């Protein structure tokens, strides 16, 4: 088997929904399942064939559903199990498969397992989590939480620390314990038997902790990165067990969020011999604009580096494993503000970025609002943020460790905070962008009067229709799915150009990443090619690239 072996999930385009911010059907300011149901026709119009739902399970919402207190119940604010069954049925009727978020590196501290676990040291659930004695009256080691501070929380009641790589309300499960693994597998089967079509597995690369619990390399904050545990000693064994016991019994889309994942590791996680998952999310391309020592430190993007990294993954996995393609998700700022130009070239640059990504090999993921070129939010002050990572980050960097000034941190948050992508979906130009008749749980971006779905659905040259076309092209041309990738002009600092090849067909993709006009002659071989798509309205292409221009030429040899 190799990566050109045909599979439905390689040919799919996935749309990610962050339910809290997608559509509110009952005016409480919070998106919900009935709201998603209302918008199925919109998803159908866009042409996506898979929806990935960020978590909808029962949760006290310390981390917006990524802290689950009951895996078999729907969060009250989102609706009921009946709503879910209906959503699933209607998606299937519309030809859309539904993929759930699987958050099993940790649970909420309000999950029944943890409530039991923390009661006493001999409780049968004690070993469902990771408890350690203090070392010299302090935390067992220097591991840091992804959301700031130590990854260890002292629990008075039993005099031990428990591990939490995320907030202290998200204790890490102990995957060494077979009972934990079996309980997770049972829960997965329970959802699969309802008919869901797969899982996006939250921070799955972190589940196996090195049992020596050694200190890691400290970062600026003095703690080591939560990534010390990425790709731990038994992670592949656990995923192979999960595949054997659960996944192999169904026809699914599975994608692992592999934070800290390297190419060598990804070849195992997403290997074409189907031992573990279908594909992995890697993050190298979205960490290029951060300081390696401080995630809140800003660094300008270097296109040559970006090309190098994308190419490493395209070429490295060819024939061996399968890529997932994304610029955006609920943890990343908006792509057009980050990599494009969210002012005068907003639409053109968003289309360019979409072209650049969607013509690569792998399964593309579109995050809600990306198809409208929604932008980062003009946050004014800290009180407007809802994300605990942003808020904790501010306290740690500005107040506790005093590593950044308040202004520096706010500048960083405006560029990087996860809340940039969590503002409500902009449906139309009515109050609250048509998202809710109540008060939204997080502010609506004031640019909704200009940037919204209704306006774009009416206008043939909108970003929405451009995405629709990219998705159509992928359905029409096998080369877009399966063709082999090759980078051109790797050292060009302004243009990202590459080719794809399949049998006697070739594609040339050229993208100007700058607001400058550039000389870029069409390579001889492609001069008579047909243009599959381009992002300037007149549809002509030539030997000069206009600001953020992108085009795709197709030839048959
Ligand atoms: C993943 C999720 C993120 C969440 C974290 C903890 O990275 O994408 O939103 O905060 O895991 O579950
Ligand atoms: Ca609601």
């Amino acid at each position: 088997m190799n990566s050109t072996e045909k599979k439905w999930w390689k040919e799919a385009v996935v749309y990610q929904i962050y339910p809290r911010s997608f559509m509110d059907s009952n005016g409480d300011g919070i998106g919900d399942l009935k709201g998603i149901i209302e918008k199925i026709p919109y998803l159908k119009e866009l042409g996506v064939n898979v929806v990935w739902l960020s978590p909808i399970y029962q949760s006290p919402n310390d981390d917006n559903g990524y802290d689950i207190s009951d895996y078999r119940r729907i969060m009250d604010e989102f609706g009921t199990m009946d709503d879910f069954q209906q959503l699933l049925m209607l998606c299937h009727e519309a030809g859309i498969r539904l993929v759930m978020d699987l958050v099993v590196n940790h649970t909420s501290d309000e999950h029944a397992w943890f409530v039991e676990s923390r009661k006493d040291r001999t409780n049968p659930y004690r070993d469902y989590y990771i408890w350690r004695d203090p070392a010299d009256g302090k935390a067992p080691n220097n591991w840091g939480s992804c959301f700031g501070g130590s990854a260890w929380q002292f629990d008075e009641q039993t005099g031990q620390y428990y591990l939490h790589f995320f907030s202290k309300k998200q204790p890490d499960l102990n995957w060494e314990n077979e009972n934990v693994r079996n309980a997770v597998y049972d829960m997965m089967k329970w959802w699969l038997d309802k008919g869901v079509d797969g899982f996006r597995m939250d921070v799955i690369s972190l589940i196996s902790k090195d049992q020596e619990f050694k200190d890691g390399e400290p970062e600026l904050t003095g703690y080591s990165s939560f990534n010390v545990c990425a790709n731990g000693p038994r992670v592949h064994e656990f995923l192979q067990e999960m595949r054997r016991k659960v996944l192999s019994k169904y026809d699914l889309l599975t994608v692992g969020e592999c934070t800290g994942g390297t190419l060598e590791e990804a070849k195992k996680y997403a290997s074409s011999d189907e031992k573990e998952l279908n594909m992995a999310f890697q993050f190298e391309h979205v960490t290029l604009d951060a300081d390696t020592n401080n995630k809140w430190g800003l660094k300008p993007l270097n296109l040559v580096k970006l090309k190098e990294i994308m190419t490493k993954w395209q070429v490295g996995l060819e024939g061996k494993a399968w890529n997932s393609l994304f610029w955006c998700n609920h943890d990343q700022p908006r792509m057009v503000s980050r990599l494009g130009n969210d002012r005068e070239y907003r639409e053109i640059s968003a289309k360019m970025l979409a072209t650049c990504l969607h013509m690569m090999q792998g399964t593309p993921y579109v995050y809600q609002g990306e198809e409208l070129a929604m932008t980062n939010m003009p946050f004014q002050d800290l009180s407007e943020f809802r994300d605990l990572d942003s808020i904790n980050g501010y306290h740690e960097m500005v107040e506790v460790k005093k590593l950044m000034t308040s202004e520096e941190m706010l500048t960083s948050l405006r560029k990087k905070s996860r809340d940039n992508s969590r503002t409500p979906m902009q449906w139309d130009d009515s109050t609250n962008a048509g998202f809710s008749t109540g008060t939204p749980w997080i502010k609506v971006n004031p640019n909704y009067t200009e940037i919204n779905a209704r306006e774009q659905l009416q206008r043939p040259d909108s970003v929405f229709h451009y995405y629709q076309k990219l998705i159509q092209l992928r359905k029409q041309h096998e080369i877009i799915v399966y063709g082999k990738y090759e980078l051109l002009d790797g050292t060009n600092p302004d243009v990202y150009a590459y080719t794809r090849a399949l049998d006697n067909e070739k594609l040339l993709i050229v993208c100007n990443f700058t607001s400058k006009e550039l000389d870029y002659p069409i390579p001889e071989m492609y001069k008579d090619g047909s243009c599959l798509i381009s992002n300037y309205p007149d549809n002509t292409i030539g030997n000069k690239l206009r600001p953020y221009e992108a085009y795709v030429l197709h030839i048959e040899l």
Side-chain angles (χ1 to χ4, degrees):
M1 277 187 239
N2 62 46
S3 71
T4 50
E5 197 204 345
K6 291 182 187 164
K7 295 279 179 191
W8 67 266
W9 45 265
K10 294 182 181 170
E11 296 169 15
V13 176
V14 183
Y15 188 88
Q16 183 193 351
I17 291 183
Y18 194 67
R20 204 172 188 78
S21 304
F22 193 61
M23 181 65 200
D24 173 21
S25 70
N26 64 351
D28 66 355
I30 297 172
D32 46 51
L33 299 184
K34 284 211 167 83
I36 300 173
I37 290 173
E38 265 176 56
K39 297 299 181 185
I40 292 175
Y42 173 83
L43 301 171
K44 207 175 156 154
E45 173 88 16
L46 183 59
V48 295
N49 22 34
V50 179
V51 160
W52 147 30
L53 282 185
S54 275
I56 56 166
Y57 317 91
Q58 178 94 338
S59 164
N61 284 307
D62 191 49
D63 187 19
N64 290 351
Y66 282 92
D67 48 323
I68 297 168
S69 53
D70 188 340
Y71 289 103
R72 297 176 201 227
R73 276 192 56 186
I74 302 294
M75 192 191 299
D76 292 333
E77 292 162 324
F78 287 176
T80 63
M81 195 56 82
D82 281 348
D83 296 337
F84 176 77
Q85 298 282 7
Q86 212 198 348
L87 172 65
L88 182 62
M89 188 189 80
L90 293 171
C91 280
H92 286 169
E93 268 180 36
I96 296 172
R97 300 193 215 222
L98 198 66
V99 167
M100 305 283 279
D101 220 304
L102 183 77
V103 189
V104 290
N105 173 68
H106 45 270
T107 67
S108 162
D109 65 339
E110 297 180 34
H111 191 289
W113 297 338
F114 192 75
V115 172
E116 285 301 313
S117 185
R118 81 189 321 173
K119 279 185 181 160
D120 59 73
R121 293 190 188 201
T122 57
N123 188 286
Y125 288 91
R126 185 67 171 180
D127 203 28
Y128 266 49
Y129 295 86
I130 301 167
W131 292 96
R132 286 291 178 279
D133 286 326
D136 302 328
K138 288 194 298 266
N141 65 25
N142 74 348
W143 292 358
S145 151
C146 173
F147 298 152
S150 169
W152 296 96
Q153 175 68 23
F154 187 67
D155 207 40
E156 296 284 342
Q157 186 153 335
T158 52
Q160 284 191 313
Y161 283 86
Y162 65 86
L163 182 71
H164 62 89
F165 272 137
F166 296 88
S167 94
K168 57 176 187 284
K169 286 186 66 61
Q170 292 167 297
D172 280 48
L173 282 166
N174 177 18
W175 275 71
E176 298 293 317
N177 181 345
E178 204 185 339
N179 296 333
V180 168
R181 302 202 301 275
N182 287 331
V184 168
Y185 302 154
D186 280 349
M187 175 273 285
M188 292 171 71
K189 283 189 236 155
W190 190 81
W191 283 100
L192 292 169
D193 291 338
K194 285 187 183 294
V196 307
D197 302 291
F199 294 109
R200 172 268 186 189
M201 302 187 184
D202 194 65
V203 287
I204 203 71
S205 55
L206 299 185
I207 58 176
S208 163
K209 276 77 177 173
D210 191 325
Q211 296 299 299
E212 286 185 42
F213 291 90
K214 282 195 285 220
D215 279 352
E217 192 62 41
E219 298 190 304
L220 195 60
T221 54
Y223 299 108
S224 72
S225 158
F226 65 103
N227 272 333
V228 282
C229 275
N231 319 308
R234 297 181 70 190
V235 68
H236 297 293
E237 174 195 332
F238 294 156
L239 288 175
Q240 284 165 23
E241 178 182 82
M242 182 194 280
R243 177 96 191 192
R244 252 189 345 266
K245 292 195 169 174
V246 185
L247 305 175
S248 61
K249 314 258 193 287
Y250 306 81
D251 179 23
L252 304 173
L253 183 156
T254 54
V255 52
E257 189 197 20
C258 293
T259 160
T262 60
L263 191 64
E264 287 318 304
E265 290 296 332
K267 285 184 197 161
K268 299 183 203 154
Y269 288 119
S271 154
S272 309
D273 63 12
E274 311 208 322
K275 288 211 177 82
E276 300 182 22
L277 307 176
N278 297 156
M279 52 192 140
F281 287 126
Q282 62 85 19
F283 293 90
E284 284 193 296
H285 65 303
V286 289
T287 40
L288 279 177
D289 54 2
D291 200 322
T292 38
N293 208 14
N294 167 18
K295 74 171 180 177
W296 299 110
L298 300 172
K299 215 166 76 181
L301 181 88
N302 173 333
L303 184 67
V304 172
K305 267 252 79 77
L306 179 72
K307 294 196 286 189
E308 231 170 68
I309 284 176
M310 299 307 272
T311 302
K312 176 175 106 183
W313 286 87
Q314 288 287 303
V315 174
L317 297 193
E318 167 74 40
K320 303 192 180 78
W322 194 248
N323 269 296
S324 56
L325 306 171
F326 73 98
W327 291 134
C328 308
N329 63 37
H330 65 295
D331 295 327
Q332 302 294 329
R334 290 287 177 183
M335 118 194 135
V336 69
S337 303
R338 184 183 206 173
L339 300 169
N341 175 311
D342 62 8
R343 295 166 311 270
E344 63 270 43
Y345 297 115
R346 185 178 59 82
E347 294 219 336
I348 290 284
S349 68
K351 291 174 183 175
M352 181 280 287
L353 290 166
T355 313
C356 185
L357 195 75
H358 280 242
M359 290 297 136
M360 290 186 188
Q361 193 189 68
T363 301
Y365 288 73
V366 179
Y367 176 70
Q368 67 184 46
E370 175 186 336
E371 76 283 15
L372 306 174
M374 277 176 61
T375 67
N376 279 355
M377 172 80 177
F379 289 108
Q380 299 301 313
D381 66 85
L382 193 65
S383 68
E384 292 174 346
F385 291 91
R386 295 289 172 271
D387 166 32
L388 85 170
D389 186 27
S390 307
I391 298 169
N392 290 355
Y394 182 95
H395 290 309
E396 177 164 48
M397 300 308 284
V398 179
E399 289 158 4
V400 180
K401 306 261 163 161
K402 301 194 177 15
L403 294 165
M404 291 168 90
T405 66
S406 170
E407 220 16 78
E408 278 168 353
M409 187 65 187
L410 281 172
T411 302
S412 173
L413 289 176
R414 269 181 220 115
K415 279 205 190 310
K416 293 216 145 136
S417 168
R418 310 194 292 180
D419 277 342
N420 283 301
S421 59
R422 298 177 180 187
T423 61
M425 182 71 179
Q426 293 166 206
W427 293 109
D428 57 40
D429 62 1
S430 69
T431 317
N432 297 327
F435 161 73
S436 173
T437 55
T439 307
W441 69 277
I442 186 170
K443 266 196 175 172
V444 177
N445 194 314
N447 63 20
Y448 73 91
T449 48
E450 184 200 333
I451 305 171
N452 64 67
R454 182 187 292 156
E455 188 279 326
Q456 295 203 23
L457 284 165
Q458 288 161 0
R459 181 164 51 89
D461 73 344
S462 66
V463 179
F464 178 92
H465 285 118
Y466 196 87
Y467 269 84
Q468 187 185 50
K469 183 157 180 198
L470 285 171
I471 294 166
Q472 277 311 321
L473 285 171
R474 185 165 273 265
K475 291 178 186 164
Q476 289 156 1
H477 298 270
E478 276 201 345
I479 184 172
I480 299 178
V481 180
Y482 296 109
K484 205 168 176 168
Y485 166 104
E486 195 182 329
L487 180 69
L488 297 181
D489 309 326
T491 55
N492 186 319
D494 301 319
V495 176
Y496 194 155
Y498 62 93
T499 60
R500 303 284 305 278
L502 185 71
D503 304 328
N504 62 337
E505 288 177 76
K506 287 199 94 177
L507 288 180
L508 168 72
I509 297 93
V510 176
C511 300
N512 178 358
F513 266 70
T514 75
S515 55
K516 295 177 288 195
E517 189 172 276
L518 304 171
D519 286 321
Y520 198 86
I522 303 174
E524 200 49 47
M525 188 179 175
Y526 292 90
K527 283 225 163 84
D528 299 321
S530 63
C531 181
L532 292 191
I533 191 165
S534 69
N535 64 347
Y536 268 82
D538 56 13
N539 241 326
T540 59
I541 56 172
N543 291 330
K544 277 198 189 311
L545 288 173
R546 290 164 283 186
Y548 296 104
E549 183 161 7
Y551 62 79
V552 179
L553 291 178
H554 178 240
I555 56 170
E556 280 181 45
L557 302 172

